[in-house]
Amino acid sequence: MQGNIKRKVLVFIDQMSIGGAARVTSIMANELVEYGYTVTIACDNIKYPIDYTINKNVRIVSFHKKRNSIPIVSSLWKEFSLIALSREIIKSEKPDLIIAVTYMVFSQVYFGSIGLGIPVIAYDHTSFSRNLGFIGNIIRFHLYKHADQLVVLTNKDQALLQKRSFHNTTVIYNPLTYPEFNGNSHRGKFVLCVGRLNSWKVKGFDRIISIWKDISREVDGWKLKIAGDGSESSIRTLETMIKNNSVESSVELLGAISDMENLYRSAGIFALPSRVEGFPMVLMEALSQGCPSISFSIGGAIDEMVDNNKTGLIINDNDINDFEAKLKLLMSDGTMRTRLGENASKSVGRFCRDNYMKSIHAIILKSININQ
């Protein structure tokens, strides 16, 4: 570390149980410890268990407040209480720098840190083309300008924000979850989709199930498998879609899978039918394990990860007919699948953790130095 000074970083995040933001935060925290930082994660560890592996030297503090019992004031009370709690944690931990992950957490931490003289980095994990409602848009397109630095996931998002006069943005791609797999693997005749079932509309699971209705009639012996946890309500919704499309015999909801690495290695094809994504970890994970992929462009975000027709197939957004046609082609052409898969695993080295941490380390030092 620069000057051998041991810096203290305090990371705020809503939970460390599910999702790409939590996964990346666990990687970042663990690697920061290896870089010589002292790291504390403040998260809700009461309502949500910590399901990602955290280095034993990372300190965990609880960032949780119960809701008020009166529904009308519940949300406001919770927000104000979390602002107050964030200030207590900051004053107790005395960090050199704060990283606030996700937009609602940033708003709580930003107001909680006012007057304390500690730089705050906002780390956003969602595409800026996604409409997150009135409050979310106010935070992301206005309050974020007050962050010392704003980390975004794609050049596409940075360009969008620069048009809105943002001058504090840095693009940092998500890091690899698994090492690149370049060995031989038996791949089954199934198309894999991965994501939280509660977000089935954003993840486009309704679209892939509808597409599968026609595909299953023409390409024999293949199955569609969807991995991810979700509420009973979301599971029932998807099961109803599966039934209404008469594909019960060839579509399977796998639930949460503990060994995703091997699931990617055994999948014949990975499909990403999402309507919106930031920088999808699931696609990068599939590529790293040599799984041939097909995805919508998602406003150009996928172009920064995949080289069309070389490391995967990219379909123009919302062109359902082309997605269906290209998926059928990929399912029927083993040579294409092999070529795309081999190229995919060789293409992801630029997303290695070393490159990721060099970027994180640089933005931390930049933020601290600006404020000294």
Side-chain angles (χ1 to χ4, degrees):
M1 187 177 297
Q2 193 178 59
N4 294 320
I5 300 173
K6 193 166 188 179
R7 300 290 192 179
K8 186 170 187 178
V9 175
L10 173 58
V11 181
F12 281 90
I13 186 170
D14 55 348
Q15 49 79 26
M16 289 293 294
S17 182
I18 56 174
R23 183 189 297 276
V24 172
T25 297
S26 69
I27 293 171
M28 178 180 67
N30 293 340
E31 295 293 329
L32 282 173
V33 169
E34 297 300 319
Y35 259 66
Y37 288 91
T38 298
V39 181
T40 298
I41 296 178
C43 62
D44 185 345
N45 60 347
I46 305 299
K47 186 177 179 181
Y48 302 95
I50 296 177
D51 288 335
Y52 293 103
T53 301
I54 304 295
N55 187 297
K56 64 180 181 180
N57 293 315
V58 174
R59 174 174 154 78
I60 304 292
V61 297
S62 184
F63 186 50
H64 168 86
K65 282 286 187 180
K66 291 183 179 179
R67 287 182 177 269
N68 191 290
S69 59
I70 304 173
I72 296 176
V73 299
S74 177
S75 294
L76 280 176
W77 184 89
K78 182 181 179 183
E79 291 306 308
F80 283 120
S81 65
L82 287 173
I83 289 170
L85 179 57
S86 72
R87 191 172 183 86
E88 290 177 16
I89 293 172
I90 294 166
K91 292 172 76 172
S92 174
E93 294 294 320
K94 299 180 176 62
D96 296 293
L97 177 105
I98 299 166
I99 300 176
V101 182
T102 72
Y103 68 97
M104 284 305 299
V105 171
F106 171 75
S107 69
Q108 296 153 0
V109 171
Y110 170 75
F111 289 113
S113 66
I114 288 176
L116 299 181
I118 301 170
V120 179
I121 295 175
Y123 200 150
D124 198 283
H125 279 268
T126 303
S127 169
F128 280 81
S129 61
R130 182 178 179 182
N131 185 349
L132 293 178
F134 178 75
I135 298 298
N137 292 338
I138 287 291
I139 295 170
R140 301 176 87 214
F141 292 109
H142 297 280
L143 193 61
Y144 269 169
K145 288 186 178 181
H146 298 283
D148 290 87
Q149 292 291 317
L150 169 61
V151 176
V152 298
L153 300 181
T154 62
N155 294 314
K156 173 183 74 81
D157 281 337
Q158 185 179 53
L160 186 154
L161 292 172
Q162 286 174 342
K163 290 180 180 178
R164 290 174 171 260
S165 301
F166 274 73
H167 304 294
N168 62 341
T169 61
T170 297
V171 177
I172 300 180
Y173 291 137
N174 284 338
L176 287 174
T177 305
Y178 313 119
E180 302 98 304
F181 176 71
N182 297 308
N184 295 319
S185 177
H186 173 73
R187 296 197 174 272
K189 293 179 70 173
F190 68 92
V191 176
L192 176 66
C193 295
V194 179
R196 282 178 283 178
L197 302 190
N198 292 358
S199 302
W200 60 262
K201 188 170 185 179
V202 171
K203 300 301 180 184
F205 294 154
D206 58 325
R207 303 205 286 190
I208 195 70
I209 291 171
S210 178
I211 288 170
W212 195 257
K213 180 179 181 179
D214 294 328
I215 288 181
S216 62
R217 296 170 181 165
E218 298 183 32
V219 184
D220 190 38
W222 281 76
K223 289 194 173 185
L224 171 65
K225 298 185 180 184
I226 301 174
D229 59 2
S231 64
E232 290 184 10
S233 174
S234 297
I235 293 171
R236 284 196 301 269
T237 297
L238 289 172
E239 287 176 339
T240 299
M241 291 180 194
I242 292 167
K243 183 177 180 180
N244 289 343
N245 283 278
S246 303
V247 289
E248 300 99 316
S249 63
S250 61
V251 179
E252 185 178 356
L253 301 179
L254 301 178
I257 301 297
S258 59
D259 187 4
M260 283 301 304
E261 189 173 359
N262 277 313
L263 182 59
Y264 288 122
R265 290 182 188 177
S266 63
I269 297 169
F270 178 82
L272 189 76
S274 300
R275 291 177 169 87
V276 180
E277 289 283 355
F279 197 74
M281 294 287 288
V282 291
L283 177 56
M284 188 192 302
E285 289 167 356
L287 295 174
S288 74
Q289 300 311 298
C291 189
S293 71
I294 181 170
S295 169
F296 285 112
S297 174
I298 311 177
I302 304 306
D303 296 342
E304 299 182 39
M305 188 185 300
V306 174
D307 186 350
N308 191 28
N309 292 315
K310 183 177 180 182
T311 63
L313 300 182
I314 304 176
I315 310 300
N316 290 335
D317 287 333
N318 303 314
D319 192 339
I320 302 296
N321 291 334
D322 193 37
F323 194 103
E324 180 178 325
K326 294 290 174 56
L327 180 54
K328 280 188 214 173
L329 174 63
L330 192 54
M331 291 166 68
S332 62
D333 191 335
T335 301
M336 178 187 286
R337 294 198 303 274
T338 299
R339 173 175 60 82
L340 292 178
E342 289 177 351
N343 290 340
S345 61
K346 296 173 184 176
S347 72
V348 295
R350 59 200 170 107
F351 305 122
C352 68
R353 294 190 184 186
D354 188 46
N355 288 345
Y356 172 76
M357 286 310 301
K358 285 177 181 177
S359 298
I360 291 292
H361 180 52
I363 197 173
I364 287 174
L365 293 181
K366 180 179 180 181
S367 299
I368 291 174
N369 292 334
I370 286 174
N371 287 270
Q372 287 182 341

